[in-house]
């Protein structure tokens, strides 16, 4: 019999998520992404003219500001900012608006575990709402490995205290294709690849690949949710 | 032998998100397609770069119809800009894009060095984009292609508010969009719509300006029938 977790979920089950389009009026694009009680508000401003010192003026640059729920910005927040910046740089088309800066500001509203994946999902939704040109979307998922080697998805705060190790994984979203060829599902999965991987703790190779496999399967659900969110809130046809 | 017309993409009129493959070029032979906003070529495929509805203008022009607050300048767009600075050769105009736009002092009907118009900072200008390039500041003109002022120039009085670019496109579409049609039957007003997401309204009395502006702002999320009934309820409250 499959053992259930403290909040009643099975190991592969994600917490319910929701996304609000453009809750902030002044931002050019914003999104409020919630996964269970983990809530992140992302705002995108830009593209604005000019690049900061040290950036390449032939490309657009991305600036990420992370605001924690309480306290001052510390080393952990700086690491989150750097991870987010590199992830967003890899999915944005930087050559479309050279010599501009796009600011992405994240405010943590609730933190109940798997904070970084939730923030990455919020950022992607906000960039789409702002109309920033993207190569593809990215979906993020948090995986945890328990002491007995079992892999669980979308960990919450209580579960994170008991993990042996965890991995935050970011995948490209599944894409819709107009091609008449019927792509093989397995071939399509391997083609998608992995954008970002952050691990903590000691993890065997088998556990890591198990995390990737389970995370990839779960990311399809987030992909579908993201696609549905982008579609249904579009302005109605006249 | 006349080649068969290219089959349209299966995704036309569907919503696409960034990364979706819209066309596979390996399946096409000797055909020409034109790409509009929101699409890019990646080796053998055409992919979407923004989220929205894929449109096809027969026979071969594709674009993604999306709506956002930020405006990306495009040649021949008509825009509403706000003068933010005056230089000897140019007015600097904010058109809600990544860069300020240049409006040359000679870009007016009959413009010469002797009669340069005097614009204060904050003046509202209805202009046409004549140059737009991602690596340069866009350039505006207050003349149409034949050199006439037409409807371009300074807009005085009235009220200007910001909308999304999708709503601006809807207001400028033909046939006339339902909210403007319903308002025009009952009220007398002047309106200028910029494709950069700005709308200017002027009417004899301030209450009419407020009603027209509120109706336009509310209409974005409504269908055609919803827009008409919304306008009717607003007008009932007015009288």
């Amino acid at each position: 019999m499959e053992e259930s977790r403290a909040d009643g979920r099975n190991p592969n089950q994600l917490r319910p998520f929701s996304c609000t389009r453009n809750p902030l009026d002044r931002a050019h694009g914003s999104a409020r992404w919630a996964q269970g009680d983990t809530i992140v508000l992302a705002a995108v401003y830009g593209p604005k003219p000019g690049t900061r010192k040290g950036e390449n003026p032939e490309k657009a640059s991305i600036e990420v500001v992370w605001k924690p729920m309480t306290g001052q910005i510390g080393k952990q927040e700086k690491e989150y900012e750097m991870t987010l910046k590199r992830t967003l740089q890899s999915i944005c088309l930087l050559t479309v608006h050279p010599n501009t800066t796009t600011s992405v500001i994240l405010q943590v509203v609730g933190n109940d575990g798997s904070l970084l994946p939730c923030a990455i999902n919020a950022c992607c939704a906000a960039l789409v709402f702002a109309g920033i040109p993207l190569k593809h979307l990215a979906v993020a998922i948090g995986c945890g490995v328990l002491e007995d080697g079992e892999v669980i998805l979308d960990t919450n705060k209580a579960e994170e205290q008991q993990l042996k190790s965890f991995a935050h994984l970011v995948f490209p979203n599944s894409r819709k294709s107009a091609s008449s060829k019927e792509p093989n599902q397995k071939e399509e999965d391997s083609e998608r690849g992995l954008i970002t991987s952050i691990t903590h703790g000691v993890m065997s190779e088998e556990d890591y690949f198990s995390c990737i496999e389970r995370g990839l399967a779960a990311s399809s659900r987030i992909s579908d949710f993201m696609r549905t969110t982008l579609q249904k809130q579009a302005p109605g046809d006249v | 032998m006349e080649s068969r017309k290219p089959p349209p993409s299966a995704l036309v009129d569907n919503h696409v998100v960034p990364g979706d493959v819209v066309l596979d070029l390996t399946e096409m032979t000797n055909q020409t397609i034109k790409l509009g906003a929101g699409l890019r070529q990646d080796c053998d495929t055409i992919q979407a770069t923004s989220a929205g509805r894929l449109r096809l203008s027969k026979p071969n022009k594709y674009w993604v119809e999306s709506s956002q607050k930020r405006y990306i300048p495009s040649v021949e767009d008509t825009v509403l800009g706000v003068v933010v600075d005056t230089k000897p050769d140019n007015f600097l105009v904010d058109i809600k894009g990544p860069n300020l736009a240049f409006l040359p002092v000679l870009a007016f009907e009959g413009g010469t060095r002797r009669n340069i118009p005097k614009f204060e900072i904050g003046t509202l200008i209805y202009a046409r984009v004549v140059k737009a390039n991602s690596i340069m500041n866009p350039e505006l003109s207050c003349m149409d292609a034949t050199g006439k002022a037409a409807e371009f120039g300074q807009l005085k009085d009235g009220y200007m508010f910001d909308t999304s670019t999708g709503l601006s496109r809807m207001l400028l579409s033909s046939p006339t969009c339902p909210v403007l049609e319903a308002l025009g039957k009952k009220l007398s007003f002047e309106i200028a719509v910029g494709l950069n997401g700005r709308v200017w309204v002027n009417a004899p009395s301030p209450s009419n300006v407020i009603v027209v502006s509120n109706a336009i702002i509310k209409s974005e999320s409504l269908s055609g029938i919803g827009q008409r009934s919304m306008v009717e309820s607003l007008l009932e409250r007015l009288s």
Side-chain angles (χ1 to χ4, degrees), chain B residues 26-236:
Chain B
T26 60
E27 299 173 352
M28 312 180 81
T29 56
N30 209 28
Q31 285 146 12
T32 301
I33 59 174
K34 296 180 181 178
L35 297 186
L39 296 171
R40 72 176 178 123
Q41 179 178 354
D42 184 26
C43 301
D44 281 348
T45 60
I46 305 293
Q47 295 179 13
T49 62
S50 62
R53 203 181 285 265
L54 180 69
R55 296 295 190 195
L56 165 65
S57 177
K58 288 186 187 298
N60 59 5
K61 187 183 288 181
Y62 290 93
W63 74 96
V64 174
E65 203 169 74
S66 65
S67 174
Q68 61 258 351
K69 291 187 186 183
R70 204 62 162 160
Y71 169 66
I72 306 302
S74 184
V75 171
E76 290 306 325
D77 281 355
T78 54
V79 295
L80 283 172
V82 177
V83 175
V84 297
D85 201 359
T86 58
K87 301 290 185 189
D89 280 348
N90 290 296
F91 299 102
L92 295 185
V93 180
D94 169 36
I95 58 173
K96 281 177 50 170
N99 292 294
L100 296 178
F102 289 151
L103 176 59
V105 296
L106 301 183
F108 297 87
E109 183 183 3
T112 65
R113 280 290 168 186
R114 294 177 182 272
N115 62 346
I116 292 173
K118 298 275 191 290
F119 289 146
E120 305 283 345
I121 289 173
T123 301
L124 186 64
I125 307 279
Y126 190 60
R128 182 173 64 100
V129 178
V130 293
K131 283 181 192 171
N133 197 306
S134 60
I135 59 177
M136 296 159 50
N137 293 70
E139 191 175 303
L140 306 179
S141 170
C142 282
M143 298 180 288
D144 59 17
T146 67
K148 298 298 180 186
E151 69 273 17
F152 300 111
Q154 181 185 0
L155 299 174
K156 294 174 178 173
D157 302 321
Y159 172 67
M160 191 271 287
F161 56 95
D162 286 340
T163 64
S164 65
T165 57
L167 179 55
S168 292
R169 218 177 303 115
M170 184 188 79
L171 294 172
L172 287 172
S173 67
S174 65
T176 306
C177 84
V179 63
L180 292 182
E181 189 183 348
L183 287 167
K185 287 175 180 169
K186 299 289 180 55
L187 300 178
S188 171
F189 62 94
E190 244 182 313
I191 188 170
V193 181
L195 278 167
N196 56 338
R198 284 188 170 138
V199 181
W200 172 84
V201 176
N202 196 14
S205 74
S207 59
N208 285 6
V209 172
I210 292 169
V211 167
V212 173
S213 306
N214 282 342
I216 290 168
I217 291 171
K218 285 180 200 280
S219 65
E220 178 159 23
S221 53
L222 298 175
S223 66
I225 295 175
Q227 289 176 20
R228 287 192 182 89
S229 57
M230 181 263 297
V231 168
E232 280 163 17
S233 67
L234 279 180
L235 292 178
E236 276 173 12

Side-chain angles (χ1 to χ4, degrees), chain A residues 25 47 49 134 176 180 227 237, chain B residues 20-21 27 53 69-70 98:
Chain A
D25 192 57
L134 305 173
K176 199 195 294 182
S180 60
R227 183 181 294 270
D237 282 298
Chain B
D20 283 354
V21 175
E27 299 173 352
R53 203 181 285 265
K69 291 187 186 183
R70 204 62 162 160

Side-chain angles (χ1 to χ4, degrees), chain A residues 39-101:
Chain A
I39 306 169
V40 175
L41 184 59
V44 174
Y45 297 85
K48 297 174 291 183
T51 50
R52 297 201 301 180
K53 195 173 173 186
E55 297 282 354
N56 181 1
E58 291 186 12
K59 295 187 169 186
S61 77
I62 297 176
E63 169 192 49
V64 178
V65 177
W66 181 289
K67 292 184 179 299
M69 199 164 42
T70 57
Q72 301 293 323
I73 291 181
K75 290 199 181 86
Q76 177 78 90
E77 282 75 28
K78 288 296 182 190
E79 185 186 347
Y80 284 155
E81 283 178 4
M82 188 183 67
T83 304
L84 270 159
K85 178 173 169 176
R86 299 280 283 273
T87 302
L88 299 183
Q89 278 175 347
S90 76
I91 69 171
C92 288
L93 282 163
L94 301 175
T95 56
V96 175
H97 302 302
N99 199 27
T100 61
T101 299

Side-chain angles (χ1 to χ4, degrees), chain A residues 159-171:
Chain A
E159 288 164 347
E160 282 178 358
Q161 309 302 322
Q162 300 155 33
L163 295 177
K164 182 179 72 169
S165 54
F166 67 81
H168 292 152
L169 305 167
V170 185
F171 302 96

